[in-house]
Amino acid sequence: MPVIMASIFSALIILMTVSFMIKVLHIAYKRKEISFRQLILYVGSSVTVGSIVAICLPFAYTKVFHWVLGA
């Protein structure tokens, strides 16, 4: 149960970070600071990295909790 709760809260933090990053990139695109191709590349890479980290979190938390609790 602690692994699930920690994973959910961490995934929410990652989701919020990625969404704010997308908003910042969209503002930069509106101000013509980045091109449309760069916008698509950066949004895609931030979503991909955020998804990979969120998927790997339960496994990492399981290892940490087993190491700390000695179960």
Side-chain angles (χ1 to χ4, degrees):
M1 187 68 171
V3 172
I4 295 171
M5 294 301 288
S7 297
I8 289 172
F9 288 129
S10 297
L12 285 173
I13 292 170
I14 292 169
L15 177 70
M16 289 171 43
T17 304
V18 169
S19 67
F20 288 130
M21 191 68 189
I22 291 172
K23 287 180 185 179
V24 167
L25 290 169
H26 192 261
I27 291 170
Y29 173 68
K30 281 185 179 179
R31 292 183 180 177
K32 305 287 187 207
E33 294 176 2
I34 59 173
S35 67
F36 183 71
R37 184 172 287 186
Q38 286 176 325
L39 173 70
I40 297 299
L41 176 71
Y42 295 154
V43 167
S45 61
S46 64
V47 168
T48 303
V49 170
S51 299
I52 289 171
V53 170
I55 289 170
C56 293
L57 277 175
F59 304 113
Y61 281 134
T62 303
K63 287 188 178 268
V64 168
F65 284 139
H66 279 287
W67 179 68
V68 170
L69 300 176

